[in-house]
Amino acid sequence: MNTAGGSAKAGGDGPRGARGRPRRVSMADVAQLAGVSSQTVSRVSNGDAAVVASTRAKVLDAMKELGYRPNSAARALKRGEFRAIGVITMGLSSTGNVRTLEAIAGSASRAGYAVTLIPLDAPTQDNVRGAFTRLDELAVDAVVLIMEVHLLDTASLTLPPHVKVVVVDSDATGRFPVVDTDQRQGARSAVRHLLDLGHSTVWHVAGPEESFAAGRRAEAWEAVLREEGRKVPPVLRGDWTPESGYEAGLRLADEPDCGAVFVANDQMALGVLRAFHERGRRVPEDVSVVGFDDVAEAASFIPPLTTVRQDFAQVGELCVDAVLRELRGETVTGVRLVPTTLTERASTGAPGR
């Protein structure tokens, strides 16, 4: 018995029922028009490479003429897979989330998988459970969770047993395969760059306290200063936005000893640059600034921003690679950290230039 089905185009000339109304185009209709068996139509629908090219062309022409569309849900039931990956993410305002999602979608497409997105406005237990329930109903084979799972009590989070999970958060060790940027390595490279230029210490504008990424970057900043025996200035905090960076920049502009600043992301760094400009603090002549992310606009800041580049494309590709390996039955564990690189531009220089 064939499990795949299809439908006729609205208002087309497909097969009609006893009362003259359009009826659903069946695989048998396609087989009759193409002069082949229903099994051959099924093989073409499922992408079987063993079908002779000329036969495949006849079947595809018949499908087009009748307006037949293979029923993907029926094919999935037959094959036991849906060829779809779900992504649950905390909103779409974060540069990292958006660029990681873009890379996941591209890698999944190249592997023949679709992506179903569920954005959340808050990382609550109910929201995450609801997202998994929706993805289960939408029929996905695996889920990529772009979220800092320390915000959740994952021990009480029940996931669909048949769905594979990969997490983009290097703090989520132990339960799921993990892919993430090496946050500490990136922050250390930023601070060492400023110290190597000759600055006596480095101030820091951190992200929000509840953020894992912000915490790791701040920890690395402080660790390098202590290793080098340098003064550790008080941390200023923002919320990842240019506005919060601007407020922090105004405060830093009033600090006469502030000659170098490591900012936890490029958007806040943009606000810092604006504040310094308004207060007459020249960058990099009076103060050097380093950001984190290397957003597309960073090279167009005034001055162009020295920043830590995260390879979001590789993070996304590794997420899909881990998913596909799990779906092949491989055991995937541990953390895969993607290295960062420091991109030097005109916002940093030796002190007292």
Side-chain angles (χ1 to χ4, degrees), residues 43-272:
R43 290 166 62 196
V44 172
S45 296
N46 290 316
D48 190 336
V51 179
V52 176
S54 58
T55 301
R56 182 188 307 278
K58 287 196 298 182
V59 172
L60 292 176
D61 287 343
M63 287 181 176
K64 183 177 181 181
E65 182 175 339
L66 293 175
Y68 173 85
R69 296 292 182 270
N71 188 320
S72 58
R75 290 206 317 266
L77 289 173
K78 183 177 181 179
R79 297 187 318 203
E81 62 178 6
F82 299 101
R83 306 291 292 182
I85 299 172
V87 177
I88 301 174
T89 182
M90 275 297 300
L92 296 174
S93 60
S94 163
T95 296
N97 287 1
V98 171
R99 292 175 64 181
T100 302
L101 173 61
E102 181 181 33
I104 290 172
S107 296
S109 177
R110 288 189 291 273
Y113 281 74
V115 168
T116 299
L117 172 66
I118 305 281
L120 303 181
D121 56 5
T124 65
Q125 294 287 339
D126 287 345
N127 279 353
V128 175
R129 287 195 189 94
F132 272 100
T133 298
R134 289 170 63 191
L135 286 175
D136 201 27
E137 293 170 349
L138 292 169
V140 300
D141 301 301
V143 174
V144 178
L145 192 62
I146 308 177
M147 182 184 301
E148 296 184 353
V149 297
H150 74 283
L151 300 175
L152 294 165
D153 179 11
T154 54
S156 66
L157 186 62
T158 302
L159 308 182
H162 63 283
V163 175
K164 308 300 183 183
V165 177
V166 174
V167 179
V168 182
D169 173 12
S170 53
D171 201 33
T173 56
R175 189 173 178 192
F176 310 111
V178 168
V179 179
D180 199 8
T181 297
D182 192 339
Q183 308 289 341
R184 287 190 177 91
Q185 180 247 335
R188 292 181 70 89
S189 68
V191 178
R192 289 205 174 278
H193 168 66
L194 292 166
L195 295 181
D196 289 345
L197 287 172
H199 294 281
S200 59
T201 191
V202 178
W203 293 67
H204 184 42
V205 179
E209 288 189 82
E210 66 272 14
S211 167
F212 162 79
R216 293 299 179 268
R217 295 169 197 179
E219 289 169 5
W221 159 78
E222 182 175 348
V224 172
L225 293 182
R226 294 195 182 281
E227 289 167 9
E228 298 298 323
R230 308 299 178 93
K231 173 186 174 183
V232 180
V235 175
L236 286 76
R237 288 202 176 271
D239 61 6
W240 301 126
T241 65
E243 293 77 15
S244 66
Y246 175 72
E247 294 298 325
L250 292 176
R251 293 168 58 188
L252 289 172
D254 293 332
E255 295 286 346
D257 295 333
C258 177
V261 185
F262 165 46
V263 188
N265 80 331
D266 291 349
Q267 295 299 318
M268 290 194 298
L270 177 60
V272 169

Side-chain angles (χ1 to χ4, degrees), residues 265-266 289-295 298 305-309 341-345 347:
N265 80 331
D266 291 349
V289 178
V290 177
F292 202 108
D293 282 340
D294 196 16
V295 298
L305 183 67
T306 295
T307 184
V308 176
R309 182 178 184 272
T341 55
L342 183 73
T343 301
E344 295 184 41
R345 298 192 180 100
S347 66

